[in-house]
Amino acid sequence: MSDKRLFPGETVIITRFFDVHQDWSVPIQGFFIIKPKRKMKSIADFSDEESVEFIRLLCALRKGMRDVLGIKEVTIKSI
């Protein structure tokens, strides 16, 4: 595994609507957790503003995975 990291600590990005973290207890390169700040059950519950911010976060993270980590394919999973 490469020593390259997009971000040095657990916290990656904190925005108005989301917290993005890396889980270093399970150090999987390119594994990010995007957590909404408000409680919800589905992305269908996102406001228009949250939807736009979510997509922008996904795009920024994906570009970093490709450009910094060299990750060619990504699977997005919701839990």
Side-chain angles (χ1 to χ4, degrees):
M1 182 161 110
S2 169
D3 286 339
K4 292 181 184 177
R5 293 184 181 183
L6 288 178
F7 304 92
E10 281 187 26
T11 301
V12 176
I13 301 168
I14 297 175
T15 69
R16 182 173 166 200
F17 300 115
F18 299 95
D19 291 329
V20 182
H21 292 78
Q22 290 178 286
D23 184 354
W24 292 113
S25 64
V26 183
I28 300 170
Q29 191 176 35
F31 178 77
F32 297 96
I33 300 165
I34 303 174
K35 181 180 175 195
K37 288 186 175 179
R38 69 181 180 95
K39 193 170 185 129
M40 62 182 71
K41 293 187 179 200
S42 168
I43 64 171
D45 297 332
F46 285 173
S47 68
D48 289 343
E49 289 178 303
E50 288 167 327
S51 296
V52 169
E53 187 170 282
F54 183 75
I55 291 299
R56 287 184 178 156
L57 282 172
L58 281 177
C59 290
L61 288 168
R62 180 60 192 108
K63 286 176 186 175
M65 287 180 212
R66 181 192 60 216
D67 298 345
V68 176
L69 302 175
I71 296 173
K72 294 178 183 174
E73 292 184 28
V74 172
T75 299
I76 299 172
K77 182 177 181 182
S78 106
I79 52 172

